[in-house]
Amino acid sequence: MLISLCGDDDCNQTGFFLGPSVWGHNNEILKALYPLKSFYINETFAFLGCLLFMFVVGAKMDMSMLIRAGKKAEVIGFLSFLVPLTFNLTTASFLAKRNPNSGPVPPNLLYHMAAFQSVSSFHVITCLLADLNLLNSELGQLAVSSSMVSGTCSWVMVIFIFIARQDNFVSTTAMMWTYLSSLFLLLLVILVLRPIMYVMIRNTPEGKPIREGYILIIFIMVLVMALSGEVCGQHFLLGPVVLGLAVPDGPPLGTAIVQRLESFVTWILLPSYFVYSVAGVNVFSVDCSIVTSVATLGLTSFMGKVVAVIVPSMYFKIPLMDALSLGLVMSSQGITDVMMLQQARLLFILDDQTYSFMVAAIVVVTGVLTPLIKLLYQPSKRLKSSWKRGIQHTTQNMELRMLVCIYHPECTPSLISILEMSNPATKSPICCYVIHLMELAGRLSPILVHHRRGTISSQAQSSSHIVNAFRFYEEQNPGGNLSVNLFTAISPFNTVHEEVHRISLEKRASMLVLPFHRQWKIHGFEDDPKVRSVNRHILHKSPCSVGVYVDRGTLQRCLIQTATALLCSIGVIFIQGRDDREALAYAMRMGEKPSVGVTLVHVVETDYQPTTVNSCVDFELDYQLVCDFKIATVARRHHVYMEENVSDSVEMVNVIRRCENWFDLILVGRHHDRESVIYKGLAEWNSEFPELGFVGDILVASDSQCQASVLVVQQQRLDMSADYGGSYDRGSVTDDAMSTVTGASSTIANPWRPNKVRSGKL
């Protein structure tokens, strides 16, 4: 089989091979590998896994998304349900006219096949997007909202089909009691069980895990609701699904339930259901007329869904390729659809042949769509900016837009210190966007919450301390010098970087500040590998400049001491390259603050001569910015320029070691020219933190004696031509042009020697 119905290929393959399609037709093999006495045990485990799985799916769903979906998602979701259903019913009517009642495919079966093949599932689409790492993309967010609408319509239709089918087997009086019992079951969940869950939440202290006894009570509720559904004359899955929808999503209860049950159900119980479901598939017993009908209706349904998505998407001005990708996503089916087909077979709505081929069709179609979606839609291309987004390219009297990411509330004071050092002033105000990044747990779909002034969303109560701290800091900066916009992003950590990139691009941020994954405590330090992974992804394709802040507490102490007329000392270790220029530009902005002193430690390679066009351009830009620093600090006695000549990597490391404890904050660039002589000796350097670059790793490594806070800066990644106004094209440079640039740079005898600016040696 090409792909799993829920991400587990091996279980589907096992069921397929044990079924009558491969080994099942041989009784001897079947008795040896799949004895009859194990059938009932496997069936029990299969249905237990099924009911727990549907309960977890219900617990992870957020029904409020139907209200927040928006016009675009509502239109696309409803049409992706209505149009394929209309197409399929029309095609089924045409096929029924060609096949009379005595034919191999009865008309009622055709209409039911048409209805079941046009449905879609919110859970399947969300899992598919998670597997493709598209949950945080624009397509993923629209698909999640649209699938909630279309999935709700689909399941309402399926429930009505099941109820209408049951009417054929029981009397009117029995059906009336069945409906009343089901209504009583629903009221029991809403009026009794859901309030009990809220009592559990109120009895759980903030930040503490839910009690194990509460989890046991919830588990007993699931089993009782499954039994009650059977007693009421409904399917045993009805009770667990309704109870799951009633569970308050998110922490502490919803998250705890999902964490306790999801792995156990997915990896232990649910595989039994896969084997049980697929083992009954016999593709060789399917009649050709069934194959033709299922294939025709499947193609019609697929075309209907794609058309139903593309047409409104074009109206809403969504690009054609994005609309096509969205149509393919909305056409996916999976495990919940198989459960629906199995229940239809138990109610004799579908026969065994139709069930077999429809399950096989779901597996094959999903296996084809998945790589096709991955090929057509690549969200990283949409995150590239053609504009210069960095502090170096922000004019002095222009508003600086910053994006600050926070993983833990403990990082709030240190990041507020960085904002304060960034010098919000009347002439150069700062607009800061703060995002509290939280890992998605207990939910299927990611959410982005905007905390408007005076309110904190109930979906992100854990962000209250962060929101209050930044609101208080904003109030301490009157006059419009600083404005703060606060968000909470609850998303899987393997894709949350796309959310950060998208916000930084939409808000036109120039600097993105990230806290380092290692946090220093009183008795040592703590590492968070998940935070480190997110930081690496953000650094890889950020549409603006990025600063990774390594907090050791010195900057906060320094800001407290400024009240006693003491200076905050900032050091910049400048070697060469665009990242060092961005770090120096940031330090120059900080240096505008009266209580800040900036020391530029310029490490110059002895007898350095650029040999390539790129190195010549970097050489000239470095020289220009250093001269700007000298000119800007002529009349400021707290700003110092120091120059250190080095000839190899050993001397460079010694310079860094000597100045590592001279400052409260050290700014360094992340990337440097690896072909330089002073870096060749570091080629075999065993970096502990390669995401910080050579210099940052020296200052932050476990064996470092540095006690100062460090900010590692990476400038926005554009083409080399962006550094000098786009007038340079690497592909069109001739040898004469290269020699001209090289010759021009060689006329500067010693460009780094200060002129009318005092210098010193470390």
Side-chain angles (χ1 to χ4, degrees), residues 179-213:
Y179 296 151
L180 291 176
S181 301
S182 301
L183 179 61
F184 173 77
L185 198 66
L186 181 62
L187 293 176
L188 176 67
V189 172
I190 297 175
L191 301 178
V192 179
L193 300 185
R194 183 173 171 87
I196 291 176
M197 296 178 190
Y198 277 108
V199 172
M200 296 177 181
I201 294 175
R202 286 195 297 269
N203 291 338
T204 302
E206 185 178 357
K208 298 295 183 180
I210 202 80
R211 297 179 185 176
E212 294 295 334

Side-chain angles (χ1 to χ4, degrees), residues 344-355:
R345 185 179 66 166
L346 294 176
L347 293 175
F348 302 103
I349 298 175
L350 300 177
D351 57 25
D352 291 341
Q353 295 186 42
T354 306
Y355 169 79

